[in-house]
């Protein structure tokens, strides 16, 4: 919409404030999010165009329509650039800053938590920046802040003393729902007969405002990005301190905090565009890390001159929901995927969009044939945001959620928002084992998926570890649809469609291959476990970093998070899954699978002196001298990063015959392209 007069503007402001008040008071509103956003955008555009100062807009945006608690230091908004690294680089150059801190920009509600004598005593919303609203009653709903902050020293003006005492501290950050919390919040609201939240951002605002009158707690999280009270500098060090006290920080989501130089900032911004954290984010905040730079640059009319928000362009289109496909993952998780009418979005044709889980479908009320909003904001795979209910014409039909596991017919464990087959990993044993023996993992030749299925159906193998204790006689006795060897008996079996045993020759080969796989190397062993979030290249990084399965299993979440590109969330997942796989790993090890790499095979040379240091290399098409997987290993052994897709941050694309869309994309983005021969000539 477009506002053309002051009268219309005033009316719109009234409408926005009313809707916002209703929403934040009890979580309801007569406007849809899209309608609200559209009114808000139109009002903002008109205010800017006419030079009208409209504090209501700032208040609405920050989730508060009133507030009387003064902030100790104003909570300013930030200057923004949208998806423009050139503008970001210009800003960084002009600022004269050399050392930056970088943190994800969380899409929640800015709040301040005040600690007195070490205890959290007050929480205040951002409000209009100078005054916020007291929401202290919601403090007990936050499940990730320390109950006590103190120590012997470290405190502004503090005298070093052996006595532990509580600090006075003000921590600023973002109140957010993690995706899991958001799902949990709506389950809670439904149980209590309250309307569900439409999205995480408005949900957390509604949770804060409504907490006073609600008789149940809705847990949410707090991620810190600033503090007043600690004398630690630079900023990145103060964030380390907050983490040491037990706070989660926005910077911590990156997995590494820096400080960063300009080049690293751009790399981080590009890397984050592909990240899928457990909280909604809409960009990256880049700040001067040193206090001296902040003082030198000072504050502009409304925003500090030492910080900038780099926002990712949110793009959305509408399409039609054609079908929901259900798959069971390797861990038994049921995942819906939406097939949609093909549509152009951010330069590519989209035919599938993600849906989180069955609850997501029922909560948002999707129906087959619905016009749907497809949205992409940072993520790699676009997601199905919401149905456009107004477009329904009666032809839409409900979505059938499977009653039993489509893989094995067992029941689902539906106690969590994510449904899992009660057999867990056992349900997808065929897929798990077939994945483990595939070329990219243990590369066991001769073990086809159909043979794996036979072995599992016939109870010879129940999981990956069982493979390594198989005898040739056991394999030989497995009956198989495939006819091995041209014998009279086999020809007859083939004619009548009868199954015959694998036979001793083939079995002997398979057992030899399995034996060989015991020394496939740590990276391939890690890959074979099929831990969520660890594909081939991540497994190689883990192997390189830890060197042995024992070291990997002993690693804490914090330690894992420091490995390149992992981050805290994925690290926590890996720790959980490795614990779940303990028996499989132990049995593999007992059967003689080598779980550590010889020191010589690990990179010992100085990373910077390697030919591909700092480069991101993608390999596509057929390779002649090596498989793609081996090429990726070569890239990593030369200090480069093996990338699975082409993006602006790709340094080089090695393309063989049959290279398709990646080659086109590289041409569009101006990424350097080489043949396999050229690559070998230049780097090997
Ligand atoms: Zn199942």
């Amino acid at each position: 919409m477009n506002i053309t007069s002051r009268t219309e503007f005033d009316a719109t402001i009234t409408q926005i404030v009313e809707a916002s008040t209703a929403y934040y008071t009890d979580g309801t509103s007569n406007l849809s999010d899209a309608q609200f956003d559209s009114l808000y955008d139109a009002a903002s555009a008109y205010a800017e165009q006419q030079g009208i100062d409209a504090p209501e807009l700032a208040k609405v945006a920050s989730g508060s329509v009133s507030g009387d608690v003064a902030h100790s230091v104003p909570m300013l908004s930030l200057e923004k650039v949208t998806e423009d690294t050139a503008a970001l680089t210009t800003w960084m150059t002009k600022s004269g800053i050399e050392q930056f801190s970088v943190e994800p920009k969380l899409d929640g509600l800015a709040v301040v938590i005040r600690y007195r004598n070490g205890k959290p005593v007050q929480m205040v919303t951002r409000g209009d920046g100078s005054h916020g609203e007291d929401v202290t009653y919601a403090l007990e709903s936050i499940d990730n802040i320390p109950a006590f902050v103190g120590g012997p020293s470290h405190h502004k003006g503090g005298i070093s003393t052996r006595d532990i005492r509580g600090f006075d501290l003000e921590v600023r950050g973002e109140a957010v729902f993690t995706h899991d919390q958001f799902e949990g919040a709506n389950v809670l609201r439904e149980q209590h007969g309250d309307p569900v939240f439409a999205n995480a951002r408005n949900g957390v605002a509604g949770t804060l405002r409504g907490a006073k009158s609600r008789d149940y707690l809705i847990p949410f999280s707090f991620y810190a990005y600033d503090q007043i009270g600690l004398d630690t500098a630079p900023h990145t060090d103060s964030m380390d301190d907050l983490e040491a006290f037990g706070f989660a920080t926005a910077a911590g989501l990156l997995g590494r905090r820096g400080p960063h130089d300009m080049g690293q900032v751009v790399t981080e911004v590009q890397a984050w565009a592909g990240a899928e954290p457990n909280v909604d984010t809409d960009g990256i905040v880049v700040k001067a890390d040193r206090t001296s730079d902040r003082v030198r640059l000072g504050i502009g009319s409304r925003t500090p001159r030492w910080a900038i928000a780099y926002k990712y362009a949110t793009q959305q289109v509408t399409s039609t929901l054609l079908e929901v496909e259900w798959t069971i993952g390797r861990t038994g998780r049921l995942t819906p995927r939406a097939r949609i009418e093909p549509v152009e979005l951010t330069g590519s044709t989209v035919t599938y969009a993600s849906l989180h889980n069955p609850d997501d479908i029922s909560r948002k009320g999707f129906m087959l044939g619905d016009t749907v909003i497809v949205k992409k904001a940072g993520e790699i795979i676009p997601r199905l945001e919401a149905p456009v209910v107004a477009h329904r014409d009666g032809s839409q039909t409900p979505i059938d959620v499977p009653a039993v596991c489509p893989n094995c017919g067992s029941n689902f464990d539906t106690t969590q928002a994510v449904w899992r087959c009660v057999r867990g990993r056992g349900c997808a044993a065929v897929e798990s084992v077939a994945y483990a023996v595939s070329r990219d993992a243990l590369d066991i030749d001769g073990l086809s998926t159909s043979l794996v299925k036979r072995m599992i159906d016939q109870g010879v193998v129940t999981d990956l570890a069982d493979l390594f204790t198989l005898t040739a006689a056991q394999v030989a006795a497995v009956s198989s649809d495939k006819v091995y060897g041209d014998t009279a008996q086999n020809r007859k079996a083939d004619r009548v469609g009868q199954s015959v045993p694998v036979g001793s020759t083939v079995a002997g080969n398979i057992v030899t291959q399995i034996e060989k796989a015991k020394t496939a190397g740590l990276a391939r062993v890690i890959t074979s476990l099929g831990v969520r979030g660890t594909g081939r290249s991540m497994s190689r990084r883990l192997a390189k970093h830890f060197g042995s399965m024992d070291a990997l299993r002993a690693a804490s979440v914090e330690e894992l998070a420091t490995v390149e590109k992992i981050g805290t969330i994925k690290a926590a997942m890996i720790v959980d899954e490795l614990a779940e796989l303990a028996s499989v790993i132990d049995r593999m090890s007992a059967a003689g699978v080598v779980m550590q790499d010889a020191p010589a095979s690990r990179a010992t040379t100085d990373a910077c002196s390697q030919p591909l240091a700092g480069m991101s290399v993608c390999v596509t098409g057929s390779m002649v001298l090596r498989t793609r997987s081996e090429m990726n290993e070569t890239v990593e052994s030369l200090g480069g990063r093996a990338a699975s897709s082409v993006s602006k941050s790709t340094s080089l694309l090695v393309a063989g015959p049959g290279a398709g869309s990646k080659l086109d994309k590289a041409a569009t983005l101006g990424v350097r392209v080489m043949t396999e021969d050229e690559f070998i000539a230049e780097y090997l």
Side-chain angles (χ1 to χ4, degrees), residues 310-466:
Y310 181 95
K311 295 193 76 171
Y312 295 107
T314 301
Q315 307 219 21
Q316 62 178 47
V317 289
T318 56
S319 178
T320 306
L321 175 57
L322 300 176
E323 191 187 358
V324 174
E325 297 177 357
W326 301 89
T327 52
I328 298 288
R330 288 197 294 272
T331 57
R333 175 190 175 142
L334 177 71
T335 307
R337 186 168 78 142
R339 193 162 66 79
I340 55 173
E341 197 76 59
V343 63
E344 286 289 310
L345 181 62
T346 61
S348 57
T349 305
V350 176
T351 47
Y352 285 98
S354 62
L355 280 159
H356 289 299
N357 52 51
D359 282 357
D360 204 31
I361 293 174
S362 56
R363 192 174 62 236
K364 292 179 179 167
F366 286 108
M367 293 178 85
L368 294 180
D370 261 339
T371 300
V372 287
I373 297 169
V374 184
K375 193 168 173 181
K376 191 168 176 175
E379 313 96 332
I380 299 164
I381 302 168
R383 66 170 183 266
L384 219 55
E385 184 73 5
V388 183
V389 178
H391 284 196
R392 285 198 181 142
D393 59 6
S395 70
Q396 285 71 22
T397 54
I399 293 167
D400 284 330
V401 177
V404 293
C405 172
N407 220 26
C408 71
S410 304
N411 287 325
F412 286 117
D413 172 0
T414 57
T415 55
Q416 311 273 314
V418 169
W419 292 13
R420 279 174 208 277
C421 170
V422 291
R423 292 180 62 198
R425 282 177 189 274
C427 169
V430 174
E431 289 79 0
S432 302
V433 175
Y435 174 79
V437 303
S438 67
R439 199 168 184 182
D440 291 336
L442 294 173
D443 194 16
I444 301 178
D445 226 19
L447 261 184
S448 63
T449 302
S450 65
L451 188 53
V452 167
K453 185 172 185 315
R454 286 271 165 175
M455 287 176 159
I456 287 169
D457 288 349
Q458 292 165 35
V460 182
V461 164
T462 58
D463 61 23
L464 170 60
D466 287 345

Side-chain angles (χ1 to χ4, degrees), residues 282-297:
D282 58 1
I284 289 266
V285 177
V286 180
K287 303 189 250 194
D289 196 34
R290 294 191 186 111
T291 313
S292 55
D293 279 328
R294 295 187 178 194
V295 171
R296 173 175 61 81
L297 290 162

Side-chain angles (χ1 to χ4, degrees), residues 618-623 628 632 646 653-663:
C618 178
V619 180
T620 189
S622 352
M623 296 288 118
R628 275 221 295 277
N632 285 334
V646 173
L653 176 71
V654 182
S661 61
K662 284 178 187 161
L663 195 53

